[in-house]
């Protein structure tokens, strides 16, 4: 059993950056004029602080921080 299940939030950036990279290796289509891969990595970069915050908040609620 997991002792700190809220740390699973940190797997989201990992999955967005590495696990899906081969699936998003496309130039077309473009999103807001950006190649799809660049837009995907930008989205992953913007979602990483949210995942870290959720992991921190979960640990804080359990009295770990």
């Amino acid at each position: 059993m997991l002792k700190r299940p809220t740390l699973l939030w940190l797997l989201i950036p990992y999955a967005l950056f590495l696990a899906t990279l081969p699936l998003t290796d496309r130039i077309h289509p473009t999103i807001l004029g950006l190649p799809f891969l660049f837009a995907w990595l930008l989205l992953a970069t913007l979602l990483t602080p949210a995942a870290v915050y959720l992991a921190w908040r979960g640990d804080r609620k359990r009295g770990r921080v």
Side-chain angles (χ1 to χ4, degrees):
M1 193 71 170
L2 293 172
K3 291 183 181 181
R4 298 171 72 181
T6 56
L7 292 182
L8 291 175
W9 284 109
L10 299 178
L11 290 177
I12 291 173
Y14 175 78
L16 288 174
F17 279 111
L18 296 178
T20 58
L21 191 59
L23 302 174
T24 60
D25 190 18
R26 310 279 185 269
I27 294 175
H28 298 287
T30 59
I31 299 172
L32 299 173
L34 299 172
F36 184 70
L37 179 59
F38 184 77
W40 183 268
L41 292 175
L42 181 63
L43 174 72
T45 301
L46 295 175
L47 289 178
T48 297
V52 171
Y53 170 75
L54 290 171
W56 172 78
R57 190 182 72 174
D59 268 0
R60 187 171 164 224
K61 281 185 178 181
R62 296 179 71 137
R64 303 243 187 224
V65 176

